[in-house]
Amino acid sequence: MFEKLKRLRADRDRAQARLNEAKAKLDEVNERLKAEEASSMVGIVERLGLSPEQLADYLGVGESEKLTAPMNNKKETKSKSTEADAQDKENKGIVEDILDESF
């Protein structure tokens, strides 16, 4: 008498199991993607020969902003000396060359 209900509940349970497996697989793929992105960024910084401090300066991230999103304060980057601007342009060109080679 309740065969249809039993069948539908079984279908629901199988679908829930597949959904849980898919969510676990998505989480795993997202973790691998995040690790690969971080590895790629570290590789670029190493190729440029920048220290973490130099990278922060290049990105325009101040001491108080290092824990927040970068590039929040563009006014600080405009106050760099001309020598630092020349180095930034050179580094930017190198980064663009590396990225062009990667893709």
Side-chain angles (χ1 to χ4, degrees), residues 18-34:
R18 286 193 305 266
L19 176 62
N20 292 339
E21 289 174 15
K23 285 181 180 180
K25 185 176 181 179
L26 176 62
D27 290 342
E28 179 185 324
V29 169
N30 282 335
E31 287 177 24
R32 289 191 324 224
L33 175 63
K34 187 175 182 177

Side-chain angles (χ1 to χ4, degrees), residues 34-71:
K34 187 175 182 177
E36 184 61 30
E37 288 172 340
S39 176
S40 296
M41 288 186 278
V42 168
I44 290 171
V45 171
E46 286 177 352
R47 286 185 198 171
L48 293 174
L50 296 175
S51 70
E53 294 83 9
Q54 291 170 324
L55 178 62
D57 288 342
Y58 178 75
L59 295 174
V61 179
E63 284 295 323
S64 64
E65 298 173 325
K66 285 185 180 178
L67 299 177
T68 61
M71 304 299 280

Side-chain angles (χ1 to χ4, degrees), residues 71-87:
M71 304 299 280
N72 286 339
N73 194 349
K74 295 264 185 183
K75 291 180 182 177
E76 287 183 23
T77 60
K78 291 181 181 179
S79 66
K80 292 181 180 178
S81 68
T82 57
E83 183 178 322
D85 289 339
Q87 182 66 32

